[in-house]
Amino acid sequence: MSSGSDGALSEVHRTAFMAAAMRAGHFLEGAEPKIFRDQFAPQLLEMSDDEIREFTAKVPLEMAASCVLRSRFTEDRLAAARGRLNQYVVLGAGLDSYALRMGDALESMIVFEVDDPPFQAWKKKRIEQLGLKTPGQVRYVPCDFERMSIDQALAAQGFAADEPCFISWLGVTQYLTREAIRTTLRWAGERPAGSEIVVTIVEPGAQEQRRARASDPVHFVSFISLEEMSDMLREAGFSRIEPLTQVAAREAYLKGRTDGLIIPEFQLSIAAIV
Ligand SMILES: C[S@@+](CC[C@H](N)C(=O)[O-])C[C@H]1O[C@@H](n2cnc3c(N)ncnc32)[C@H](O)[C@@H]1O
């Protein structure tokens, strides 16, 4: 997908390029009003605008929708929570551009971008190559969820464990074992009251779809139902669990659109508050 400087990256890392390419495609071609306006996505990718358009033309509309819907839902929830917290932890950040888009408007908000070390190194280099200014409020936190302690990784970058935070974990759980998911959720659920997470799941119904679409390059490890994730979140310490239902997504984000974006069938964003 990119032009060759990503030799150290695995297929799972490259999924971050796909997610960003879908946001970039929406930015370049999506109907107004955009669901999510990520003006940095086209730049961060090592792809021309034509290559992005070519890629997005082949992507099923529900997949393209899932990437912009989850980011929009998350940032809407984050904006609503902003008054009660000053830390945003982006788990499996990929090419997330929240900090770049916010710039000085971050004010006192510290953004902790957590990702697997090889991908994070790629992203930092890319930002440098482009000459983009990373706000001083960004902390890069290298961490492999399968092998490292998120607690220690964040502590090393100045995370205030006794203060509430907002956490996003978008498009990642399907690549992880249940054990790694539970470990990270346990850390998240132990945050102080008022902390909030938005996590996405790929539901078991997607298994059949993926078998039919034999070309999918990346292996999914965990298919999780809403019921199972709700149990995991409760066990971890979250109380209010609020999925973005199909009805709510249609009403809030998709009504009247002319670009054909549709609700993803088996991908769900779930918000939960400690
Ligand atoms: C599909 S991308 C999603 C990126 C971003 N959240 C988004 O919505 O655009 C998956 C991300 O999860 C990260 N990831 C996958 N497995 C991981 C692991 N074991 N530890 C840390 N990060 C991981 C990848 O590096 C990649 O950035």
Side-chain angles (χ1 to χ4, degrees):
M1 167 156 294
S2 62
S3 67
S5 60
D6 60 351
L9 300 185
S10 69
E11 290 298 342
V12 169
H13 299 135
R14 289 197 182 91
T15 62
F17 295 138
M18 291 185 216
M22 291 183 223
R23 291 194 296 274
H26 183 67
F27 179 75
L28 296 173
E29 295 283 290
E32 295 290 348
K34 306 285 182 206
I35 294 174
F36 189 71
R37 196 176 287 278
D38 186 352
Q39 72 272 31
F40 285 96
Q43 262 183 291
L44 289 170
L45 290 160
E46 288 181 321
M47 293 168 84
S48 68
D49 288 358
D50 281 347
E51 284 171 330
I52 291 168
R53 288 191 179 96
E54 211 176 295
F55 169 80
T56 38
K58 290 187 213 140
V59 169
L61 284 166
E62 66 158 51
M63 256 172 88
S66 81
C67 280
V68 289
L69 278 174
R70 71 191 189 200
S71 293
R72 170 67 185 272
F73 176 61
T74 301
E75 292 192 18
D76 281 355
R77 298 280 308 206
L78 174 59
R82 181 67 186 88
R84 61 175 201 268
L85 39 87
N86 268 321
Q87 304 185 101
Y88 178 26
V89 182
V90 192
L91 295 176
L95 292 181
D96 186 284
S97 67
Y98 175 76
L100 290 169
R101 280 179 283 116
M102 291 294 285
D104 291 342
L106 282 174
E107 299 181 339
S108 56
M109 174 81 105
I110 306 295
V111 180
F112 296 86
E113 287 207 9
V114 184
D115 211 323
D116 206 16
F119 188 81
Q120 189 157 78
W122 186 93
K123 181 179 186 180
K124 283 165 75 175
K125 201 164 126 213
R126 179 71 182 146
I127 287 176
E128 205 181 293
Q129 261 175 7
L130 291 167
L132 295 173
K133 186 177 171 284
T134 303
Q137 293 92 330
V138 174
R139 309 282 180 272
Y140 288 108
V141 183
C143 179
D144 176 346
F145 302 124
E146 298 284 354
R147 293 186 183 84
M148 296 151 109
S149 145
I150 177 77
D151 212 9
Q152 285 172 14
L154 279 165
Q157 301 305 323
F159 179 71
D162 54 350
E163 289 175 21
C165 63
F166 193 97
I167 303 160
S168 68
W169 208 10
L170 309 183
V172 188
T173 59
Q174 67 268 31
Y175 304 116
L176 301 177
T177 57
R178 279 175 167 72
E179 197 188 331
I181 297 169
R182 283 210 172 84
T183 304
T184 298
L185 286 181
R186 212 171 298 126
W187 163 82
E190 284 167 0
R191 296 309 92 220
S195 295
E196 177 163 349
I197 190 170
V198 176
V199 58
T200 62
I201 50 172
V202 175
E203 295 173 286
Q207 261 170 308
E208 199 50 47
Q209 258 186 354
R210 286 178 63 82
R211 265 194 287 273
R213 224 191 286 137
S215 60
D216 278 330
V218 195
H219 176 64
F220 281 11
V221 179
S222 293
F223 294 88
I224 299 180
S225 66
L226 172 59
E227 291 69 32
E228 184 181 359
M229 180 48 82
S230 301
D231 285 346
M232 284 182 174
L233 286 162
R234 261 183 238 106
E235 272 164 32
F238 288 95
S239 49
R240 274 171 51 199
I241 296 166
E242 298 170 2
L244 175 64
T245 63
Q246 295 208 351
V247 172
R250 202 170 291 121
E251 188 59 30
Y253 304 122
L254 289 170
K255 214 162 67 179
R257 295 200 66 76
T258 56
D259 51 14
L261 290 183
I262 50 171
I263 308 262
E265 213 179 347
F266 300 116
Q267 299 218 20
L268 199 58
S269 299
I270 304 163
I273 301 178
V274 177

